[in-house]
Amino acid sequence: QAVVTQEPSLTVSPGGTVTLTCGSSTGAVTSGHYPHWLQQKPGQAPKTLIYSTNNKFSWTPARFSGSVLRGKAALTLSGAQPDDEAEYYCLLSYSGAGVVFGGGTKLTVL
Amino acid sequence: QLVESGGGLVKPGGSLRLSCAASGFTFSNAWMSWVRQAPGKGLEWVGRIISKTDGGATDYAAPVKGRFTISRDDSKNTLYLQMNSLKTEDTAVYYCGDFTMGVWGQGTLVTVSS
């Protein structure tokens, strides 16, 4: 089974920019892995922010964007707010093998 | 829009069936997944059932394959997870959802303990 890797933790200053990445043990991540990004705050259910690489929902703040960058999926947060402090998970889809979540990135806004 | 039920305490080797009731969206078009989260741990995909119009196939993660079965009743807008031969490591909050539609339940706790 593939392993999906994320930074365990990152810190960003209020108003700053940070990029979270999501890699695959099988090789380069492409849009064909349909990368998704989910946000989870303590005690809450996860919430999908980005689907299929770079698509947003109506509830996704404009400061979040998704991409594939140098063989990894990426979530960029521009203009971080204290409310963005949370755990962020990526997931990748593998043809014939289902879905794998990354281990999550704990984002601190400080 | 998604409400899970059926969680609880069960002994190792036992069985449990979770339900996930959907409302407010076209459930029959959804590719529904079960995802779990052990205490203090990250999210783990359990399995998925795709829409009947797309074939209705199921996929499972390796740790649950052969023990868990996902099914759906589109006439009742309900998703199910039948869990057999439960192990202590299956203890987790179980969420149902379609992450591409962006719909998630609030989760139901399953505790496997003697």
Side-chain angles (χ1 to χ4, degrees), chain A residues 35-106:
Chain A
H36 287 51
W37 290 94
L38 289 75
Q39 178 192 65
Q40 188 179 36
K41 295 182 179 179
Q44 295 185 17
K47 178 167 61 173
T48 313
L49 293 180
I50 301 286
Y51 67 97
S52 298
T53 305
N54 56 8
N55 295 281
K56 299 181 185 182
F57 294 97
S58 59
W59 56 80
T60 307
R63 57 185 180 273
F64 288 95
S65 62
S67 63
V68 170
L69 197 63
R70 292 190 289 274
K72 292 186 176 183
L75 176 71
T76 300
L77 170 57
S78 303
Q81 303 292 317
D83 188 54
D84 299 328
E85 193 160 288
E87 194 87 23
Y88 291 84
Y89 295 92
C90 71
L91 69 85
L92 301 177
S93 295
Y94 293 87
S95 179
V99 170
V100 181
F101 277 96
T105 296
K106 183 172 184 178

Side-chain angles (χ1 to χ4, degrees), chain A residues 25 38 110:
Chain A
S25 63
L38 289 75
L110 191 61

